[in-house]
Amino acid sequence: MISTEIKEARSIQDVVQLIDHGGTNSDSPEEVAGTYAYLAVIDSDHVNKEHAKSQLDQLIEAGAKFDYDLALEYAESHLIESQH
């Protein structure tokens, strides 16, 4: 389930703020980052791990601080679930 805060984020900066303020009530910073990457991937024509990584890279470049590997695991988990 994707939290309302993530769905309502209007820009990458909104997502960075969520991450850097400890996530949401129900999601850790890594879950927020992974969910953001997943949502960006499914909105594109490039539904794959490399595209998810590029989204996480963009979050880091925008100033977000999170465990990259864990966030990637969350993104991949969302991708796997969406294919079933």
Side-chain angles (χ1 to χ4, degrees):
M1 175 108 176
I2 297 172
S3 71
T4 304
E5 295 95 332
I6 298 170
K7 288 180 184 175
E8 291 179 349
R10 298 287 174 228
S11 69
I12 192 169
Q13 285 309 120
D14 290 346
V15 177
V16 170
Q17 280 192 328
L18 282 175
I19 292 167
D20 289 348
H21 287 101
T24 67
N25 290 333
S26 58
D27 298 313
S28 70
E30 289 76 19
E31 288 171 304
V32 172
T35 301
Y36 170 82
Y38 161 72
L39 291 173
V41 165
I42 62 168
D43 282 344
S44 76
D45 293 331
H46 310 287
V47 181
N48 59 49
K49 183 177 178 176
E50 294 309 311
H51 190 59
K53 285 181 176 181
S54 74
Q55 297 303 311
L56 295 176
D57 291 342
Q58 287 180 19
L59 283 172
I60 290 171
E61 289 170 14
K65 301 197 180 351
F66 58 89
D67 180 317
Y68 186 92
D69 292 332
L70 186 55
L72 184 58
E73 283 183 35
Y74 283 117
E76 288 178 312
S77 173
H78 281 300
L79 286 169
I80 291 166
E81 288 174 19
S82 72
Q83 294 173 352
H84 291 140

